[in-house]
Amino acid sequence: LGGDRFALVLPEVVESETIDQIMARLQKALAKPFVIEDTPLQMHASLGITLCPRDGCDIPRLLRNAELALDRVKASGGNNRLYYDPSLAEAAEFRRQMENDLRQAIRQNEFELFLQPIIDLEQNLTTGAEALIRWRHPKQGLVQPDTFIPLAEETGLIEDIGLWALETACRQLAEWQRAGHDRYLSLNVSGRQIPSGLPPTRVADAVARHGVEPGHLALEITEGVLLADTVKALSWLNALRERGFRIYLDDFGTGYSSLSYLKRFPVDTLKVDKSFVRDMNEDGSDRALIEAVVAMARGLGMNVVAEGVENATQLGLLRAMTCRYAQGYHFSRPVPADQFEVAAREIEARLGRHD
């Protein structure tokens, strides 16, 4: 059927047990190493299985069913087998409809930026915010990003969405600037946007058109983005830093090579993952880790933002270890941009009374 896809037809074989035995033999045979020019190579096989007449009898339908099952196996890591069931078709149809809706959302401007305040704990001041994309679907209402961002990345639509977010963030920064607020915004960047989806020249042009200082816009990346293509990521980051933009390393502490990246990549701020902040009340090791990150960052001239602060106890511990910045539900949930000023005033009044 293609360069690496084959169809195996088993006439008059209807027992699942027999089919499983045949598939197991096939996978075992293909798993044996092949020697090509004295080099042993090992393959694996992913199998999607559909049955006639249970799943249909016409060739196009059976092929489609087998491919749906195969795609699910490959998406789960491959080297396995799976029988077709109707839920796979339902999931495929849902994904198709979601992709169509997502394209419509880009055309109809159905996205919004919600802002979650970031607090300067030294000054008890709302110093900035993380910009978070929300999709206000005309029928489903507010759609959370974990529902549509993976699909946007898979289809490449994240590039259009990312450029919209950049323009919207710059407009917000310009509005704050006119109102006399010295705040910054951080934007999450997907690996699919680096380097061509969000070129440094395009970012620089956007802030210039809106009259915003580059230092007021931060780009948040995760360690996974750096792992994907180190050379491209480093070139992209250096180009942004040279133009005056801030670089944040998000979810710090959850990867395997974070410390080595701090030496190699131009990072301004570390965002400690909320999983460490959440458990630091009871878990001394999490508390020690955050203390170590704060001390290390201070020595390297970096800032630290503690994510996921949910209660006063966590806030007190962060103050005690002189962590400068924090965000989380204890201060505010992400709010629409037009509600941010109210949220900021409430946070600052509350922190002022606390002290």
Side-chain angles (χ1 to χ4, degrees):
L1 302 179
D4 63 349
R5 289 196 174 200
F6 302 84
L8 178 63
V9 182
L10 303 177
E12 301 179 9
V13 177
V14 295
E15 295 294 333
S16 294
E17 184 177 347
T18 305
I19 296 172
D20 284 337
Q21 291 171 351
I22 296 171
M23 296 300 102
R25 288 207 313 270
L26 179 61
Q27 287 182 301
K28 183 178 180 180
L30 290 172
K32 293 177 181 178
F34 293 83
V35 179
I36 306 294
E37 296 182 354
D38 299 324
T39 302
L41 303 175
Q42 191 164 15
M43 299 192 305
H44 68 253
S46 301
L47 309 176
I49 306 164
T50 187
L51 303 178
C52 172
R54 189 194 72 177
D55 303 328
C57 286
D58 59 281
I59 295 299
R61 179 178 297 180
L62 291 171
L63 280 174
R64 185 201 63 178
N65 293 346
E67 288 184 346
L68 286 172
L70 174 61
D71 290 343
R72 176 63 63 86
V73 172
K74 294 179 72 172
S76 302
N79 200 28
N80 207 338
R81 57 184 181 268
L82 179 70
Y83 284 86
Y84 167 82
D85 73 69
S87 67
L88 297 177
E90 293 169 6
E93 175 58 25
F94 176 80
R95 182 192 180 285
R96 186 194 65 79
Q97 185 61 52
M98 181 67 76
E99 182 178 343
N100 289 341
D101 288 354
L102 203 51
R103 294 182 187 279
Q104 179 76 3
I106 294 172
R107 291 192 295 268
Q108 299 295 329
N109 197 26
E110 295 173 1
F111 296 105
E112 298 179 21
L113 275 190
F114 275 43
L115 309 179
Q116 184 169 35
I118 297 176
I119 313 304
D120 182 336
L121 300 181
E122 192 174 283
Q123 301 184 43
N124 291 329
L125 178 71
T126 305
T127 189
E130 179 179 355
L132 301 163
I133 297 175
R134 298 292 187 265
W135 175 13
R136 198 169 292 280
H137 192 283
K139 294 181 180 178
Q140 300 177 28
L142 206 60
V143 182
Q144 296 300 312
D146 55 1
T147 302
F148 67 89
I149 290 296
L151 178 60
E153 291 177 333
E154 183 182 339
T155 58
L157 295 174
I158 192 66
E159 294 187 5
D160 289 331
I161 296 173
L163 292 174
W164 168 86
L166 171 64
E167 291 293 326
T168 307
C170 288
R171 282 197 295 270
Q172 181 62 59
L173 286 169
E175 184 177 321
W176 281 344
Q177 192 169 282
R178 288 191 296 271
H181 299 302
D182 184 22
R183 295 178 183 148
Y184 72 90
L185 265 181
S186 65
L187 276 179
N188 292 283
V189 179
S190 161
R192 286 292 302 267
Q193 296 171 269
I194 299 173
S196 57
L198 195 66
T201 52
R202 185 72 177 263
V203 181
D205 288 345
V207 296
R209 276 189 286 102
H210 291 277
V212 173
E213 289 294 324
H216 287 168
L217 181 65
L219 289 308
E220 289 196 24
I221 58 172
T222 63
E223 189 172 308
V225 171
L226 303 183
L227 284 169
D229 191 324
T230 301
V231 175
K232 287 182 179 179
L234 184 57
S235 175
W236 184 82
L237 291 172
N238 283 331
L240 286 166
R241 277 295 299 274
E242 289 168 2
R243 289 169 168 82
F245 296 99
R246 304 189 200 188
I247 305 297
Y248 283 19
L249 188 58
D250 199 11
D251 300 336
F252 185 77
T254 59
Y256 295 101
S257 308
S258 297
L259 295 179
S260 66
Y261 285 143
L262 296 186
K263 293 176 60 178
R264 299 180 58 193
F265 291 91
V267 175
D268 300 284
T269 298
L270 308 178
K271 299 193 78 172
V272 178
D273 187 70
K274 60 185 177 183
S275 61
F276 299 106
V277 176
R278 180 188 62 225
D279 298 329
M280 72 178 185
N281 294 14
E282 296 81 18
D283 192 329
S285 61
D286 281 350
R287 189 159 57 250
L289 183 144
I290 297 174
E291 287 178 324
V293 170
V294 170
M296 176 188 65
R298 186 180 299 115
L300 294 172
M302 298 177 181
N303 292 316
V304 174
V305 178
E307 297 184 286
V309 180
E310 296 183 351
N311 55 58
T313 302
Q314 293 167 348
L315 175 58
L317 290 171
L318 291 170
R319 287 186 185 277
M321 53 180 86
T322 64
C323 179
R324 180 72 183 269
Y325 301 99
Q327 71 181 96
Y329 287 0
H330 180 67
F331 306 109
S332 172
R333 292 177 176 270
V335 297
D338 60 2
Q339 298 178 22
F340 187 83
E341 291 305 327
V342 173
R345 286 196 296 270
E346 289 178 351
I347 293 167
E348 291 166 7
R350 195 173 353 122
L351 291 176
R353 286 196 298 270
H354 175 75
D355 291 342

